[in-house]
Amino acid sequence: MDDKKIIDDRISTKLSDVNNLNVSEIRSHIIVTINQFEYYCSLILLSYFEPKKDKEYDFVKVLLNGSIIGFGGKVKLLRSLSIIDEDEFSRLMQLANIRNGFAHSLHFETLNEDNNMENGEITTKLQHSLEILSNKGEIELKNMKEWFEIFMEKSDYFLYWLPQVYEDYRINGEIRKVNKQDNYRIHK
């Protein structure tokens, strides 16, 4: 039998240089990362509730569909069931907020002058920003680079632990409950 060669003309999905992404790549990376987190939240909830085999598809594809129970709702369920602790809940909700900002806000470029006190030079920097509606109902301008750095810093923890919680279930047959004082996961 002949080996078939598969040619993939798509753009690479590998993240090659996190420090050198363009605006579109940053937005895409954040959205895809949260989609991965939401997928694992769905698997964890599926494992926790253990619906009958003939209802698993409906449970995941219908009940846990993002248009019915979004990422924030799934995170709230995980917290209510003590599958994640208060700190993890807060961090995941902050990541969801950043994702929403990148997904739904317009991108602005502004020129900012910076006075160098040492040599008296004035430099102009191009800053990429998003207009975000804060929790207080006020419009805030967020620096995209700074927000992306916060996202990357806080998401690393969950890139490891969300799949691990699900794997632990597959190996041990149970979802371990946690609280802020007693969480077996190591926080960075």
Side-chain angles (χ1 to χ4, degrees):
M1 184 173 184
D2 293 332
D3 287 338
K4 292 183 179 180
K5 184 176 182 179
I6 298 173
I7 299 172
D8 187 353
D9 288 333
R10 296 178 302 169
I11 297 171
S12 173
T13 57
K14 290 189 175 190
L15 192 60
S16 56
D17 183 3
V18 171
N19 296 317
N20 195 24
L21 298 176
N22 68 35
V23 170
S24 296
E25 290 170 324
I26 287 173
R27 289 180 106 125
S28 297
H29 177 73
I30 288 173
I31 291 167
V32 167
T33 300
I34 291 296
N35 286 348
Q36 289 173 329
F37 291 173
E38 185 171 2
Y39 171 74
Y40 276 103
C41 289
S42 294
L43 289 178
I44 292 165
L45 290 168
L46 172 70
S47 301
Y48 182 85
F49 286 107
E50 296 181 331
K52 293 179 183 176
K53 289 286 180 205
D54 65 332
K55 302 290 183 190
E56 282 183 1
Y57 180 86
D58 291 339
F59 187 86
V60 173
K61 297 297 181 185
V62 178
L63 180 64
L64 295 180
N65 184 295
S67 64
I68 295 175
I69 300 177
F71 179 64
K74 291 172 188 167
V75 171
K76 289 174 187 172
L77 281 169
L78 293 176
R79 177 65 200 120
S80 296
L81 298 168
S82 298
I83 295 170
I84 61 174
D85 70 20
E86 296 167 38
D87 293 333
E88 291 167 328
F89 171 78
S90 295
R91 289 165 56 179
L92 280 170
M93 293 307 284
Q94 183 181 18
L95 292 173
N97 187 38
I98 292 172
R99 178 257 176 223
N100 288 342
F102 275 94
H104 301 293
S105 299
L106 291 176
H107 165 234
F108 291 94
E109 294 176 347
T110 54
L111 294 174
N112 296 327
E113 288 187 358
D114 186 22
N115 294 328
N116 187 333
M117 296 299 181
E118 292 177 15
N119 60 14
E121 287 182 354
I122 296 176
T123 57
T124 304
K125 280 186 164 181
L126 181 64
Q127 180 176 308
H128 299 274
S129 303
L130 297 170
E131 272 190 347
I132 305 297
L133 186 62
S134 74
N135 293 339
K136 298 175 186 174
E138 300 167 347
I139 300 290
E140 297 177 355
L141 204 59
K142 295 285 189 179
N143 180 308
M144 286 181 81
K145 185 176 183 350
E146 290 171 4
W147 238 25
F148 181 62
E149 289 169 356
I150 291 168
F151 183 88
M152 294 301 291
E153 176 187 319
K154 293 187 183 266
S155 66
D156 278 350
Y157 174 84
F158 296 106
L159 286 170
Y160 174 77
W161 276 113
L162 284 174
Q164 192 60 47
V165 170
Y166 177 66
E167 281 302 310
D168 287 351
Y169 169 78
R170 290 187 55 225
I171 293 167
N172 302 319
E174 70 175 304
I175 302 284
R176 291 172 68 180
K177 296 201 174 215
V178 299
N179 59 46
K180 190 173 183 175
Q181 293 78 29
D182 180 31
N183 187 341
Y184 66 99
R185 296 184 285 273
I186 299 168
H187 289 269
K188 282 186 181 180

